[in-house]
Amino acid sequence: MTAFTAHLQAYFTTYLTGEKSASGHTIDAYRDTFRLLLRHLNAEYGIAPDTVEFTDLVVANLTGFLSNLETKRHNSTRTRNARLAAIHSFLRYAALDHPDYADLIARGLAIQAKNTTTPVLTYLTVDEVDALLNAPNRASRTGERDYVIMTVLIGTGLRVSELTGLTHQDLHLGKPAHLLCHGKGRKDRITPLNAATTDALTRWISHSPPHKPEDPIFTAQGSQRPISRDAIAARLTAAAATAAPSCASLVAKRITPHTLRHTTAMRMLEAGIDITTIALWLGHESTEATMTYLQADLTMKQKAMDRISPPAVRGHRYHPKADILNFLENL
């Protein structure tokens, strides 16, 4: 075992899991980063994973790995930056115990994240939401599950990982109805439930098989395991395809679980709820992440433009007079 491989194991077992108490999602993402990095070093430079040393983490090798992510794996710039963040985290941890590699580590930490563009948010209109909710065949258990999942996502704005992590003990369907959400970064929050979401969950629970408090609310078909994020994304895609003939605007939209989260935020914004409350509702670290919804709302922009227009003044453009009229007026 090399110094690098020993330190990498300690990084995951001692630091991330023990000292930092990182979430399972963070550990999974960082694990995948180093699996990809070790495979890249092996494929490109013939370095076996068990023989990798700190000296193999030169800038050229690291930037080559990051370039490979974008050019060969076709990862987005955001994914590339997330992989780089994992490498930076490990290098900062290693710097404490390996001052002999301080220069190499400093060079690795100097690799910059790429600038990213802010995409226009996709969200659903009222008609599109209705069409999507009418798509599942609710006569079947699977169709009813899909309907309830979409209703919960639209009514609460949960992240898909937060929804898959919901257990029966997290639900409180009495008045006031709410659920306990286990959010990103181990941050729990209480999310109120509206009447439609409460009714859908009440029906779902009442027709569910016997369960323990710690059992997941939504399970994979024919299993007691929590439904996966990929399965929810696939069910949304299928529902959107079913709904498209009755709502043509859905054809141009890629419907994901995060699209429904955006829809919740836009509904709250259009209802006049302030941005700070929306940020708390969605579990954002700060209001900066929530500000993107202000950029997306064309209705609010139009209202703002109407407010700054002079009242009762009809706008018109200046049209220059014909040359002959200018000639006659200047005689």
Side-chain angles (χ1 to χ4, degrees):
M1 182 177 289
T2 67
F4 167 80
T5 56
H7 219 69
L8 186 62
Q9 288 186 14
Y11 171 72
F12 280 99
T13 58
T14 303
Y15 177 67
L16 285 183
T17 305
E19 296 177 21
K20 194 171 177 61
S21 190
S23 70
H25 296 303
T26 298
I27 293 173
D28 289 348
Y30 283 20
R31 175 206 62 200
D32 292 344
T33 295
F34 283 96
R35 286 170 61 188
L36 291 170
L37 175 60
L38 293 178
R39 288 172 180 171
H40 172 78
L41 293 175
N42 187 25
E44 295 294 325
Y45 310 108
I47 306 170
D50 288 336
T51 65
V52 173
E53 293 281 5
F54 276 101
T55 51
D56 295 318
L57 302 184
V58 293
V59 168
N61 290 357
L62 293 179
T63 54
F65 166 65
L66 296 172
S67 176
N68 177 272
L69 292 176
E70 294 184 284
T71 58
K72 294 186 178 179
R73 293 184 62 86
H74 305 292
N75 289 162
S76 67
T77 302
R78 292 180 184 276
T79 300
R80 180 259 190 201
N81 289 346
R83 301 300 188 200
L84 177 60
I87 294 171
H88 280 173
S89 174
F90 170 74
L91 291 177
R92 284 191 291 268
Y93 170 72
L96 297 174
D97 294 327
H98 291 280
D100 45 329
Y101 294 119
D103 183 63
L104 182 145
I105 290 173
R107 290 173 182 271
L109 290 172
I111 300 173
Q112 296 293 309
K114 280 189 174 182
N115 293 331
T116 58
T117 57
T118 302
V120 176
L121 297 179
T122 300
Y123 61 96
L124 304 183
T125 65
V126 174
D127 291 340
E128 290 168 345
V129 167
D130 291 341
L132 195 67
L133 291 177
N134 288 329
N137 176 17
R138 297 179 60 188
S140 68
R141 178 74 176 167
T142 301
E144 180 66 12
R145 181 201 62 188
D146 294 348
Y147 169 80
V148 177
I149 284 176
M150 290 189 292
T151 301
V152 172
L153 288 174
I154 294 168
T156 63
L158 294 183
R159 299 179 179 92
V160 65
S161 59
E162 295 168 348
L163 181 128
T164 58
L166 285 178
T167 63
H168 287 274
Q169 62 191 358
D170 296 326
L171 278 187
H172 302 272
L173 300 178
K175 294 183 179 180
H178 63 278
L179 58 80
L180 177 62
C181 169
H182 306 287
K184 192 176 180 180
R186 297 183 183 272
K187 295 180 178 67
D188 291 352
R189 67 184 187 277
I190 292 176
T191 301
L193 301 174
N194 59 29
T197 307
T198 303
D199 291 344
L201 283 168
T202 300
R203 288 194 306 271
W204 176 253
I205 299 300
S206 65
H207 291 91
S208 296
H211 53 265
K212 299 176 182 177
E214 64 272 16
D215 287 344
I217 294 174
F218 301 109
T219 58
Q221 190 171 1
S223 168
Q224 292 302 312
R225 293 180 292 102
I227 187 172
S228 69
R229 289 175 288 178
D230 288 343
I232 292 178
R235 299 306 299 170
L236 279 179
T237 300
T242 302
S246 63
C247 186
S249 58
L250 284 173
V251 176
K253 294 186 176 182
R254 180 171 175 264
I255 312 300
T256 68
H258 226 64
T259 305
L260 304 189
R261 180 171 164 84
H262 295 330
T263 301
T264 305
M266 295 304 293
R267 282 184 162 188
M268 297 175 72
L269 196 61
E270 290 168 356
I273 298 174
D274 66 275
I275 204 74
T276 304
T277 302
I278 297 174
L280 290 171
W281 185 291
L282 297 178
H284 286 166
E285 285 275 348
S286 68
T287 57
E288 287 186 16
T290 322
M291 287 296 180
T292 55
Y293 297 111
L294 288 174
Q295 298 291 334
D297 193 341
L298 291 175
T299 303
M300 291 187 64
K301 291 178 182 178
Q302 182 62 51
K303 289 180 179 177
M305 190 163 62
D306 292 342
R307 285 199 297 268
I308 63 176
S309 298
V313 175
R314 188 172 181 179
H316 62 276
R317 288 182 176 273
Y318 168 74
H319 296 284
K321 295 179 180 179
D323 288 343
I324 188 62
L325 293 178
N326 282 328
F327 168 78
L328 293 174
E329 289 177 359
N330 289 322
L331 283 176

